[in-house]
């Protein structure tokens, strides 16, 4: 299987650097704005993810805020040891794993998400997934559910980062899009009243594209689960 032109040409290409470096205070403000891009959905407001040149899609806000359900079971059953949930949102998967007796930690760049996790009794860190994290190189599993494989707009770079979190026999569980292929580009979150977040880089990966993406990141595609939701388990090579 080969990736489309955009994906194949760009997998290992670094993003272009601006000619000047923004002042630290502006960079910090930009990071804060990007961290809040999904806060409307986290707060329970219906939202759509609008992508440049691609169909918009509704965000599963109710699922984020609910308890883990039957459609999450495949992910939860696969986590048989310490697990880090990257982009954990309100913490439904972290809290479900803890209830099962599985040590679990959430990580999210949104302060609101971390607050909502705490209300569930789940532990989450307010950090970017590329920041240093506890247990680097020792986690049994990592989760990228609810479209979080799109974080940063470069799934290969993201999975390379996640690979460094895993122990030698660790695996990462990713949620995939129902649509085929790999899309990368600018996106924003739009509320029904027209309120929109800033544009941010995002990616959407289909089941037919995950094998090539995983290989480029130094991972091997293991199990695929394709029912109402689509998941894959990726292993270290």
């Amino acid at each position: 299987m080969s990736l489309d032109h955009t994906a194949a040409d760009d997998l290992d290409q670094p993003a272009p650097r601006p000619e000047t470096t923004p002042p630290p205070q502006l960079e910090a403000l930009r990071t804060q704005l990007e961290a809040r891009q999904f806060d409307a959905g986290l707060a329970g407001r219906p939202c759509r993810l609008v992508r440049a040149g691609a169909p918009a899609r509704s965000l599963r806000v109710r699922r984020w805020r609910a308890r883990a359900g039957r459609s999450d079971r495949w992910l939860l059953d696969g986590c048989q040891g310490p697990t880090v949930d990257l982009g954990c949102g309100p913490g439904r998967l972290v809290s479900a794993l803890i209830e099962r007796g599985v040590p679990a930690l959430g990580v999210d760049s949104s302060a609101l998400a971390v607050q909502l996790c705490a209300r569930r009794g789940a532990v989450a860190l307010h950090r970017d997934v590329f920041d240093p994290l506890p247990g680097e190189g020792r986690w049994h599993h990592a989760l990228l559910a609810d479209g979080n494989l799109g974080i940063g707009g470069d799934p290969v770079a993201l999975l390379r980062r996640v690979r460094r979190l895993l122990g030698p026999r660790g695996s990462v569980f990713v949620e995939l899009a129902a649509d085929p292929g790999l899309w990368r580009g600018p996106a924003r979150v739009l509320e029904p009243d027209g309120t929109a977040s800033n544009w941010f880089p995002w990616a959407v990966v289909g089941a037919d594209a995950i094998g090539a993406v995983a290989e480029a990141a130094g991972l091997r595609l293991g199990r695929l689960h394709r029912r109402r939701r689509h998941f894959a388990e990726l292993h270290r090579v």
Side-chain angles (χ1 to χ4, degrees), residues 120-137:
R120 291 178 184 259
V123 177
L125 295 180
H126 182 204
R127 294 189 192 174
D128 187 284
V129 299
F130 290 94
D131 289 342
L133 296 174
E136 301 243 0

Side-chain angles (χ1 to χ4, degrees), residues 10-100:
D10 293 345
L11 280 179
D12 288 308
Q13 297 300 318
R17 294 182 177 272
E19 293 182 359
T20 59
T21 301
Q25 62 270 25
L26 292 183
E27 183 66 16
L29 176 59
R30 181 190 65 79
T31 301
Q32 291 171 12
L33 289 171
E34 289 181 355
R36 296 198 299 266
Q37 60 207 11
F38 290 102
D39 277 7
L42 294 173
R45 297 195 291 275
C47 296
R48 291 188 301 154
L49 183 69
V50 177
R51 298 179 290 154
R57 58 181 61 193
S58 296
L59 296 175
R60 303 296 184 181
V61 172
R62 290 186 180 180
R63 180 193 297 154
W64 294 356
R65 293 169 55 86
R67 290 177 58 83
R70 287 188 297 175
S71 66
D72 295 310
R73 190 172 298 165
W74 191 85
L75 291 176
L76 297 172
D77 288 347
C79 296
Q80 298 297 314
T83 300
V84 59
D85 183 2
L86 304 171
C88 62
R92 81 175 188 284
L93 297 177
V94 177
S95 58
L97 288 170
I98 291 171
E99 290 173 2
R100 289 170 169 232

Side-chain angles (χ1 to χ4, degrees), residues 57 176-181 204-208 226-230:
R57 58 181 61 193
L176 305 168
D179 300 332
V204 177
V205 183
D208 62 332
R226 301 178 70 173
R227 294 187 182 175
R228 185 158 66 94
R229 294 166 67 190
H230 297 177

Side-chain angles (χ1 to χ4, degrees), residues 72-86 93 97 140-146 148-149 159 162 166 170-176 210 219 222-225 230-235:
D72 295 310
R73 190 172 298 165
W74 191 85
L75 291 176
L76 297 172
D77 288 347
C79 296
Q80 298 297 314
T83 300
V84 59
D85 183 2
L86 304 171
L93 297 177
L97 288 170
H140 290 199
H141 307 287
L143 293 175
L144 286 167
D146 301 317
N148 285 331
L149 187 52
L159 287 174
V162 175
L166 300 174
S171 68
V172 53
F173 290 94
V174 299
E175 183 159 3
L176 305 168
I210 188 58
L219 297 166
R223 297 182 295 156
L224 269 174
H225 176 88
H230 297 177
F231 303 114
E233 183 178 16
L234 313 177
H235 300 269

